[in-house]
């Protein structure tokens, strides 16, 4: 569905024709305006009307309709196509979910397509409309603001994941914590959420670097104002911090999982030692009782009056000796 459609002239929203083609023609005629159309999970029919009016490339249109794309930046003859994956973290369920934002930037127009609920487009539009000095820079300002909002939210999600991981780490390494298999399942689930987060942040590094003109991507990107490069460099710096944080989280949760499994192995060895010690202590009286339970005729000690207390005393002495020996070695 079409969420919003507006013409922006000199950074301010203005009334214009409802028809896409007329709105775009008016924006291009004045030279100081652009059209911004926002769509949320559009149908093929709805988006076909928009793509025809703005001359969007069929491959980009297909990606925008199907969603489930990796973050990327593609340049076509008549437009620039960028994919972002905003993320939402739900601390109660320790779940990272991602949406998708597709941005088409061309001559005097911006078309944004949102999939999922995590995209910050509504807040970005309101913030830009409240700041005409930024919005007057045209479609580039919209592209920058969406990318900046998404990456800034990545930082917040990374901080929330770090806080929850510290809680999980303290639980695993506490004296009484991490003794059950569900703990390992929680750690693995947490690792899966970090992987979902990485899928949103990792592939975005190359497109943002290209927009910022960093490294080998110094040539200008079509439909993007070169004066915006310093701002995209700031986004790139934030994204680098996010990716470094994600790498650290992934390594830490892997170390926690390895440590937890090692703890489980050590505890199992301790349990086996205790079981073996008790089994050895139980075996001694069982062996003695077994010997005297064979009912042989030629066992003269069976007829001695002190045999019964002597055998009981022997059992007790052996049990005490074994217990002290195992206790000294830490088996009990």
């Amino acid at each position: 569905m079409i969420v919003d459609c507006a013409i922006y002239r000199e950074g301010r929203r203005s009334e214009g024709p409802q028809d896409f083609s007329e709105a775009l023609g008016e924006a291009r005629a004045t030279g100081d305006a652009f059209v911004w159309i926002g769509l949320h999970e559009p149908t093929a029919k709805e988006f076909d009307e928009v793509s025809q009016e703005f001359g969007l490339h069929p491959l980009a249109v297909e990606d925008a309709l199907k969603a489930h794309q990796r973050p990327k930046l593609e340049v076509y003859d008549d437009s620039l196509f960028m994919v972002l994956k905003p993320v939402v973290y739900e601390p109660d369920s320790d779940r990272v979910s991602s949406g998708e934002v597709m941005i088409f930037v061309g001559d005097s127009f911006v078309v944004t397509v949102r999939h999922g609920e995590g995209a910050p487009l509504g807040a970005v539009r309101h913030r830009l409309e409240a700041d005409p000095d930024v919005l007057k820079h045209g479609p580039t300002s919209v592209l920058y603001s969406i990318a900046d909002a998404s990456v800034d939210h990545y930082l917040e999600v990374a901080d929330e994941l770090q806080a929850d991981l510290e809680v999980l780490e303290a639980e695993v390494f506490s004296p009484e914590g991490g003794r059950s298999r569900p703990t390992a399942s929680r750690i693995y689930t947490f690792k899966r959420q970090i992987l979902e987060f990485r899928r949103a942040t990792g592939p975005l590094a190359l497109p943002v670097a290209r927009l910022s003109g960093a490294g080998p991507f110094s040539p200008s990107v079509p439909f993007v104002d070169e004066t915006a490069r310093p701002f995209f460099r700031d986004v790139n710096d934030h994204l680098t911090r996010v990716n470094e944080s994600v790498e650290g989280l992934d390594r830490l949760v892997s170390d926690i999982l390895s440590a937890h499994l090692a703890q489980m192995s050590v505890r199992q060895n301790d349990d086996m030692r205790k079981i073996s010690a008790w089994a050895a202590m139980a075996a001694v009286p069982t062996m003695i009782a077994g010997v005297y339970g064979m009912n042989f005729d030629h066992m003269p000690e069976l007829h001695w009056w002190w045999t019964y207390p002597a055998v009981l005393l022997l059992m007790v002495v052996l049990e005490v000796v074994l217990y002290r020996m195992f206790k000294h070695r830490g088996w009990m």
Side-chain angles (χ1 to χ4, degrees):
M1 60 177 293
I2 298 176
V3 179
D4 200 354
C5 175
I7 296 178
Y8 295 91
R9 182 174 288 105
E10 289 296 327
R12 299 187 183 277
R13 185 172 182 142
S14 63
E15 296 297 331
Q18 297 298 319
D19 182 77
F20 302 148
S21 181
E22 294 180 9
L24 181 59
E26 180 178 324
R28 287 175 173 172
T30 58
D32 59 352
F34 69 95
V35 180
W36 181 0
I37 298 177
L39 301 99
H40 177 231
E41 298 181 357
T43 64
K45 182 179 179 181
E46 289 174 337
F47 200 57
D48 185 60
E49 297 176 0
V50 176
S51 62
Q52 288 182 6
E53 293 292 346
F54 291 90
L56 305 180
H57 197 279
L59 293 177
V61 170
E62 182 181 357
D63 289 344
L65 285 174
K66 291 185 177 179
H68 304 294
Q69 303 295 318
R70 298 174 74 252
K72 61 182 179 179
L73 178 67
E74 295 180 350
V75 178
Y76 298 101
D77 293 337
D78 298 324
S79 63
L80 177 75
F81 178 61
M82 186 172 186
V83 179
L84 297 166
K85 293 180 73 70
V87 298
V88 175
Y89 181 55
E90 302 170 4
D92 295 337
S93 59
D94 293 338
R95 181 172 179 270
V96 173
S97 59
S98 61
E100 288 186 49
V101 175
M102 286 77 169
I103 310 168
F104 295 87
V105 177
D107 181 16
S108 301
F109 73 84
V110 177
V111 177
T112 54
V113 181
R114 176 168 61 93
H115 291 269
E117 300 299 328
L121 295 186
V124 170
R125 187 186 286 264
H126 291 316
R127 186 167 64 251
L128 280 173
E129 290 179 352
D131 191 358
D133 290 338
V134 175
L135 193 55
K136 70 181 182 181
H137 290 89
T140 301
S141 64
V142 178
L143 179 64
Y144 158 73
S145 297
I146 295 174
D148 184 58
S150 298
V151 172
D152 284 347
H153 190 61
Y154 289 163
L155 290 170
E156 297 174 7
V157 172
D159 290 340
E160 292 175 353
L161 285 170
Q162 180 68 43
D164 285 355
L165 185 57
E166 289 174 359
V167 173
L168 183 59
E169 181 182 18
E171 177 184 334
V172 169
F173 290 102
S174 65
E176 301 298 328
R179 292 182 176 270
S180 62
R181 290 186 178 180
T183 301
S185 177
R186 285 184 57 200
I187 298 173
Y188 183 74
T189 300
F190 202 94
K191 188 175 180 63
R192 289 294 301 269
Q193 303 313 309
I194 293 176
L195 177 60
E196 180 68 22
F197 191 26
R198 174 183 281 177
R199 287 173 180 166
T201 64
L204 186 59
L206 196 60
V208 173
R210 186 175 180 183
L211 290 170
S212 65
F217 305 104
S218 54
S220 61
V221 179
F223 308 108
V224 176
D225 192 342
E226 291 191 15
T227 59
R229 282 191 172 188
F231 298 95
F232 283 111
R233 280 198 291 269
D234 180 66
V235 176
N236 191 34
D237 290 341
H238 290 178
L239 183 61
T240 300
R241 286 174 51 196
V242 171
N243 284 326
E244 290 175 351
S245 179
V246 172
E247 289 292 336
L249 289 171
D250 187 59
R251 288 195 299 269
L252 183 58
V253 76
S254 297
D255 292 343
I256 291 174
L257 180 59
S258 299
H260 173 68
L261 295 178
Q263 284 181 329
M264 294 291 291
S265 178
V266 170
R267 292 189 182 110
Q268 289 175 353
N269 290 337
D270 289 341
D271 293 340
M272 288 302 299
R273 283 200 299 267
K274 291 178 181 180
I275 293 172
S276 299
W278 285 109
M281 293 177 62
V284 171
T286 300
M287 180 188 66
I288 296 174
V291 170
Y292 283 93
M294 289 187 293
N295 296 322
F296 289 119
D297 291 334
H298 301 287
M299 293 182 69
E301 64 271 16
L302 291 177
H303 304 289
W304 298 343
W305 65 269
W306 49 266
T307 300
Y308 179 71
V311 169
L312 291 181
L313 179 62
L314 176 64
M315 291 181 181
V316 171
V317 170
L318 290 175
E319 291 295 294
V320 171
V321 171
L322 288 174
Y323 179 80
R324 296 192 64 178
M325 181 180 68
F326 291 142
K327 189 74 173 179
H328 177 70
R329 294 183 178 181
W331 285 31
M332 302 188 70

